[in-house]
């Protein structure tokens, strides 16, 4: 019998079969992709869950996860799970699940919330969420708070002062009302904000969850002033740079302490920085502080900076740093404004009075003396509005975040207040 394949060599037959196989594979992949797109579930505008629209469905990866439908109890090949309450449903059952199975409630009028039990597949879930900020941005993590308009949320931030500031900025950006109440589990290096609110200077070892929750339940509410810092570059260039806005909760500074923080920050961002701990961090701060005692990197700062308190020019002595304080703790626990003999012309320092305290330090050695209580700072004054004119490129830091700032004008004005929890125990 005549066979058309006899006219082709073995190499030609192999090439033809390979082309046919690739075409078949491409065709199957296209069909699967179109099928998935056709059966895709609607996505809500908010990444947070809104139980009035039903469950928040996400596709199940059937190759790596085994799940069974909460409606028909069959093994799910093509289906979805709710990333809020954990309900799983086959594609043919997820609409029925929206109607028959309630999603986890966000709030309750009762003093406590019961567990939300789900049939199969997952563990029991309660009314609190634990969110890793390394994986999820605070804005996305906090959007579910916008769905709760009749309850005040309490948020425990586990981290340093920078993490707390990150969360407070996210609350501002989302314009959440009523304002959530923030408490702190101090995991940073300085933890100055945690110190003044009574949550301690550091936390290490095993986490005592019950003790922390008891402290949160009995904590009192306090207000924390927040300040907006607008930096307007003054360098005369053909292209004028727009101003930048920052927000301050603890303190800001120009000079030697910002320089030490900047050197530490560069070391921490280096690929050779392999071991991170509070002891190593404090040792590095001490090392860079001792280095500056010899180098005097911010000498004659008073000739490079102009300070205005409530629009009045304040003459500067021969200091190497100007520090603006919102809270009583600075530099990992130094209550600088209250050290030494108090001056009667100044009001007592508070973090909720809409007032800033401004001090100066003479050198890194002077900072070391303040750390051990052997000296006191130069009190430059109190004000509701502070302005600094940087005449040269200088190190600057806001709440521990340092950088080198080109000549600019820094204007600090009242922004608002955050609601914080103060540990009364």
């Amino acid at each position: 019998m005549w066979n058309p394949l006899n006219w082709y060599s073995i190499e030609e037959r192999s090439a033809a079969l390979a082309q046919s196989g690739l075409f078949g594979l491409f065709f199957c992949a296209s069909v699967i992709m179109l099928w998935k797109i056709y059966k895709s579930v609607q996505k809500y505008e908010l990444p947070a869950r809104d139980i009035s629209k039903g469950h928040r469905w996400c596709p199940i990866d059937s190759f790596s996860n085994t799940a069974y439908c909460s409606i028909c109890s069959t093994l799910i090949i093509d289906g979805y799970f709710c990333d809020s309450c954990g309900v799983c449903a086959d594609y043919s059952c997820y609409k029925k699940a929206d109607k028959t199975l309630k999603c986890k409630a966000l709030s309750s009028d009762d003093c406590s919330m019961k567990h939300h039990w789900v049939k199969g597949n997952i563990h029991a879930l309660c009314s609190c969420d634990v969110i890793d900020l390394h994986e999820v941005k605070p804005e996305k993590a906090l959007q579910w708070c916008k769905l709760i308009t009749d309850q005040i949320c309490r948020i425990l931030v586990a981290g340093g002062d920078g993490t707390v500031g990150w969360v407070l900025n996210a609350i501002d950006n989302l314009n959440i009302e009523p304002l959530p109440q923030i408490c702190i589990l101090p995991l940073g290096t300085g933890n100055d904000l945690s110190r003044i609110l009574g949550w301690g200077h550091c936390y290490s070892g095993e986490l005592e969850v019950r003790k922390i929750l008891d402290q949160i339940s009995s904590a009192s509410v306090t207000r924390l002033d927040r300040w907006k810092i607008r930096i307007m570059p003054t360098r005369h260039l053909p292209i004028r740079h727009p101003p930048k806005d920052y927000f301050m909760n603890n303190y800001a500074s120009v000079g030697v302490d910002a320089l030490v923080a900047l050197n530490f920050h560069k070391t921490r961002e280096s690929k050779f920085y392999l071991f991170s701990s509070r002891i190593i961090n404090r040792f590095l701060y001490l090392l860079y502080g001792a280095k500056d005692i010899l180098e005097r990197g911010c000498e004659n700062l008073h000739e490079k900076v102009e300070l205005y308190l409530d629009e009045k020019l304040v003459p500067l002595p021969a200091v190497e740093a100007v520090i603006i304080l919102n809270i009583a703790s600075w530099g990992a626990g130094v209550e600088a404004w209250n050290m030494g003999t108090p001056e009667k012309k100044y009001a007592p320092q508070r973090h909720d009075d809409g007032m800033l305290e401004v001090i100066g330090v003479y050198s890194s050695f002077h900072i070391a003396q303040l750390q051990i209580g052997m000296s006191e700072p130069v009190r430059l004054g109190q004000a509701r509005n502070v302005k600094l004119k940087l005449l040269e490129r200088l190190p600057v830091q806001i709440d521990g975040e340092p950088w080198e700032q080109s000549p600019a004008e820094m204007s600090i004005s009242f922004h608002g207040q955050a609601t914080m929890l103060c540990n009364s125990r």
Side-chain angles (χ1 to χ4, degrees), residues 116-281:
H116 185 82
W117 302 106
V118 176
K119 178 183 176 182
N121 294 311
I122 68 163
H123 305 289
L125 298 173
C126 64
S127 59
C128 61
D129 286 330
V130 179
I131 298 167
D132 187 352
L133 294 182
H134 288 288
E135 300 177 356
V136 180
K137 291 183 178 181
E139 285 83 359
K140 186 174 181 181
L142 291 170
Q143 281 193 0
W144 65 274
C145 294
K146 289 181 68 68
L147 301 176
I148 307 175
T149 57
D150 58 344
Q151 300 290 331
I152 298 177
C153 300
R154 287 191 167 187
I155 300 172
L156 174 63
V157 180
D161 292 339
T163 307
V164 177
W166 196 16
V167 173
L168 292 178
N169 289 341
I171 292 173
D172 268 358
N173 293 337
L174 295 173
N175 195 25
I176 298 175
E177 291 291 344
L179 286 174
Q181 298 172 353
I182 309 298
C183 52
I184 305 170
L185 182 66
L187 300 180
T189 302
N191 301 311
D192 288 296
L193 184 57
S194 175
R195 293 170 191 263
I196 67 160
L197 296 177
W199 297 106
H201 66 281
C202 67
Y203 190 89
S204 60
E206 186 177 352
L207 186 66
E208 300 178 37
V209 178
R210 182 177 294 275
K211 179 181 177 181
I212 293 172
L213 294 179
D214 288 341
Q215 290 175 340
I216 294 174
S217 64
S218 61
S220 58
V221 177
T222 186
R223 297 287 183 174
L224 174 69
D225 293 337
R226 303 193 71 229
W227 301 83
K228 183 170 74 172
I229 301 180
R230 169 159 290 189
I231 299 181
M232 176 71 76
T234 57
R235 180 175 292 175
H236 298 289
L237 293 174
I239 301 176
R240 185 175 180 84
H241 293 281
K244 290 185 178 181
D245 291 337
Y246 300 87
F247 295 96
M248 180 188 77
N249 305 308
N250 299 357
Y251 40 73
S253 66
V254 177
V256 64
D257 71 319
L259 178 61
V260 172
L262 179 62
N263 289 331
F264 168 74
H265 179 74
K266 290 179 179 178
T267 302
R268 187 171 57 179
E269 295 296 317
S270 170
K271 61 182 179 180
F272 300 106
Y273 185 72
L274 303 178
F275 304 101
S276 177
S277 70
R278 289 191 185 96
I279 295 177
I280 293 177
N281 291 346

Side-chain angles (χ1 to χ4, degrees), residues 98-125:
D98 271 332
K99 298 178 181 179
T100 58
L101 300 177
K102 292 183 178 181
C103 193
K104 183 175 69 174
L106 296 176
S107 63
S108 172
D109 294 331
D110 299 332
C111 295
S112 61
M113 292 186 67
K114 298 179 179 179
H115 287 287
H116 185 82
W117 302 106
V118 176
K119 178 183 176 182
N121 294 311
I122 68 163
H123 305 289
L125 298 173

Side-chain angles (χ1 to χ4, degrees), residues 5 21 34 44 184 218 284 300 311 387 394:
L5 292 178
L34 291 174
Y44 304 132
I184 305 170
S218 61
L284 289 174
N300 298 321
E311 304 301 330
K387 183 167 65 176
L394 293 169

